[in-house]
Amino acid sequence: MSSVSQAIHANLAQLKPLPTRTSSGAKLPNLLLDARQIAPHFTSYDTYLFDCDGVLYRSSSPIPHAADAVSELLDLGKRVLFVTNSSGRSRSSMRDKLAETLGLPGLTAEQMVPSCFAAATYMRAHHPGVRKAYVIGGGGIADELSAVGVSCLGGADESGLSADFSESDIESCDVDPSVGAVVVGMDSGFTYAKIAKAALYLRDPKVVFIATNKDAFDVMPSGRPQPAGGVMAAAIEHASGRVATLVGKPSKILGDMLESGLGVDLSASLFVGDRMDTDIEFGHNNGCDTCLVLSGCTTGNDVNGFAAEGGTGRPLPTIIIPSLGHFSTKFSSNL
């Protein structure tokens, strides 16, 4: 049994019988473990929106039968989109990764919705006059901004910023007056120098401030937390006294973009994710049914807490299933 399968089984082993309502009277989501219960949800929506890490794969390991579920939905004529808060890859690069990881070469870039694409789409629609941005984050942000005519400073290729950024460095730091936006995503090379430089640009209230996501952390397969893009955004918000516009999950901005830009009817869609604070809350904010899987960040003990603590304080999912693979008919005999 793979480590991913072991983690799913461990989460299932943690589950206690789930009542229909919390101690405060709120209705709890249906926990579906049987293929006959899950099957109706496999065909009842027009569009299926999938988070990626924790739903389709964990680190570099595919979730068992997740690719089969996606393939079967496509064969049924369902629309399938992949919506992630990751900003490190452009749509085309994300397509290449998913096609290889899942073994689905027919996937297209148009099915990919990384948060860097959301940032570029928002910029083009709401700030068409911006022609240059200072970027903190991976190459996906620069690629997508370039595609809408915005050139970039900083980003994955930024060099020349000393790790020891002194007062004199701040005083002498070159600030390009043509920069009209600061765009922040996940940056594993995040430094004090980048905070200082971003804050200098944001002194000008006309400079747009965008965060691809505000996730505090991801959960690694080992269970250890990994600081995420929201850490960078929060540091720059604090240093600049500005609040970034969030364009990723769970924002209404992203929902509006999916509906008006990509023609998705969210009222006829199911969002499948592994996080309560991004995936499930996105559905709540945008009128979309949600499915929580137990193959990523959310554990069986977390689900137990829905009832024991009277809910999570956040919107609850429509349904809960062990993994996306449980949607597949090929997985039914192994339930």
Side-chain angles (χ1 to χ4, degrees):
M1 183 182 292
S2 70
S3 60
V4 174
S5 295
Q6 289 175 350
I8 295 170
H9 280 275
N11 282 332
L12 292 177
Q14 294 171 0
L15 289 174
K16 297 177 181 178
L18 195 64
T20 58
R21 295 189 178 275
T22 69
S23 56
S24 62
K27 187 178 183 300
L28 283 166
N30 291 322
L31 174 62
L32 308 179
L33 302 176
D34 183 89
R36 290 169 296 181
Q37 296 175 311
I38 296 172
H41 299 277
F42 193 71
T43 57
S44 58
Y45 297 91
D46 295 337
T47 302
Y48 290 79
L49 308 169
F50 295 116
D51 179 45
C52 296
D53 196 358
V55 176
L56 302 168
Y57 54 81
R58 198 76 198 273
S59 188
S60 59
S61 301
I63 302 297
H65 294 287
D68 292 326
V70 172
S71 182
E72 290 170 30
L73 286 170
L74 291 170
D75 289 344
L76 288 170
K78 303 297 183 180
R79 189 176 185 189
V80 172
L81 297 176
F82 304 94
V83 184
T84 175
N85 268 356
S86 174
S87 61
R89 294 177 181 270
S90 66
R91 296 179 91 186
S92 59
S93 178
M94 181 180 165
R95 187 224 77 89
D96 293 343
K97 177 183 178 179
L98 281 187
E100 180 179 358
T101 301
L102 300 179
L104 296 174
L107 297 180
T108 68
E110 288 69 30
Q111 292 173 291
M112 309 297 149
V113 189
S115 61
C116 53
F117 170 68
T121 302
Y122 175 82
M123 187 89 76
R124 180 178 57 188
H126 296 277
H127 302 284
V130 173
R131 288 290 175 263
K132 186 180 288 187
Y134 177 63
V135 171
I136 292 175
I141 299 175
D143 290 343
E144 292 296 342
L145 288 176
S146 296
V148 297
V150 178
S151 62
C152 297
L153 300 176
D157 298 327
E158 183 163 31
S159 60
L161 285 180
S162 170
D164 182 18
F165 208 64
S166 66
E167 292 180 7
S168 61
D169 290 322
I170 294 175
E171 291 287 5
S172 62
C173 183
D174 181 32
V175 178
D176 186 337
S178 63
V179 166
V182 172
V183 183
V184 181
M186 172 63 189
D187 184 350
S188 59
F190 192 55
T191 62
Y192 177 82
K194 294 179 180 181
I195 298 173
K197 194 165 184 179
L200 288 174
Y201 280 117
L202 290 168
R203 291 178 69 202
D204 183 348
K206 296 190 296 295
V207 172
V208 180
F209 185 15
I210 294 174
T212 62
N213 74 83
K214 293 190 177 182
D215 299 359
F217 62 90
D218 293 322
V219 179
M220 301 177 71
S222 65
R224 290 186 172 186
Q226 178 187 22
V231 174
M232 289 93 227
I236 296 168
E237 285 182 331
H238 202 56
S240 66
R242 300 272 303 272
V243 177
T245 297
L246 172 63
V247 297
K249 297 176 291 185
S251 72
K252 189 74 168 61
I253 288 174
L254 179 59
D256 292 343
M257 187 207 78
L258 287 169
E259 291 200 311
S260 62
L262 299 182
V264 176
D265 180 358
L266 289 173
S267 68
S269 302
L270 181 71
F271 198 106
V272 183
D274 69 315
R275 292 185 68 127
M276 295 292 295
D277 59 344
T278 55
D279 303 320
I280 306 309
E281 192 156 339
F282 171 82
H284 174 79
N285 291 344
N286 292 280
C288 178
D289 282 355
T290 54
C291 172
L292 178 70
V293 295
L294 302 181
S295 53
C297 291
T298 303
T299 67
N301 284 331
D302 292 332
V303 173
N304 295 337
F306 295 171
E309 299 171 14
T312 62
R314 295 184 180 273
L316 295 174
T318 309
I319 59 172
I320 304 171
I321 64 174
S323 76
L324 175 58
H326 286 66
F327 262 132
S328 171
T329 57
K330 295 183 179 179
F331 203 83
S332 298
S333 61
N334 297 321
L335 284 173

